């Protein structure tokens, strides 16, 4: 039997640091922004989500924040289709 609901915990430093530096723990060769978004939108029945790893002092904090919001909006768009 499959999960009836999914809790998603997204550490923003999972993204490739060459695409966006979200904090001092970001590392090279992580997944691209598009790959993360594709994975998130492939999940069904998301019931809750947390987003962590956004350091206000990071060089790309504004870009990282926009990416996080865009991830959430992409998930909301997908869920509203169902």
């Amino acid at each position: 039997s499959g999960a009836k609901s999914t809790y998603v915990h997204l550490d923003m430093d999972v993204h490739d640091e060459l695409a966006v530096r979200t904090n001092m723990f970001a590392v090279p060769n992580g997944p691209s922004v598009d790959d993360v978004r594709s994975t998130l939108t492939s999940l069904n029945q998301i019931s809750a989500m947390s987003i962590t790893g956004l350091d206000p002092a990071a060089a790309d904090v504004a870009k990282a924040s926009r990416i996080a919001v865009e991830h959430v909006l992409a998930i909301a768009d997908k869920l509203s289709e169902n």
Side-chain angles (χ1 to χ4, degrees):
S1 84
K4 295 189 184 210
S5 66
T6 303
Y7 173 82
V8 175
H9 175 93
L10 174 62
D11 284 312
M12 289 297 290
D13 57 9
V14 71
H15 295 90
D16 186 348
E17 74 168 347
L18 297 177
V20 60
R21 284 204 50 97
T22 61
N23 61 39
M24 66 182 197
F25 302 108
V27 294
N29 302 316
S32 70
V33 171
D34 289 339
D35 287 344
V36 171
R37 186 159 307 136
S38 177
T39 298
L40 291 170
T41 57
S42 73
L43 300 172
N44 292 315
Q45 303 299 326
I46 295 173
S47 58
M49 179 177 187
S50 65
I51 298 174
T52 63
L54 290 169
D55 180 353
D60 291 340
V61 69
K63 179 179 180 182
S65 298
R66 280 191 300 277
I67 291 168
V69 169
E70 290 167 359
H71 285 335
V72 171
L73 291 173
I75 291 167
D77 286 346
K78 183 192 177 233
L79 293 175
S80 69
E81 293 172 359
N82 296 334

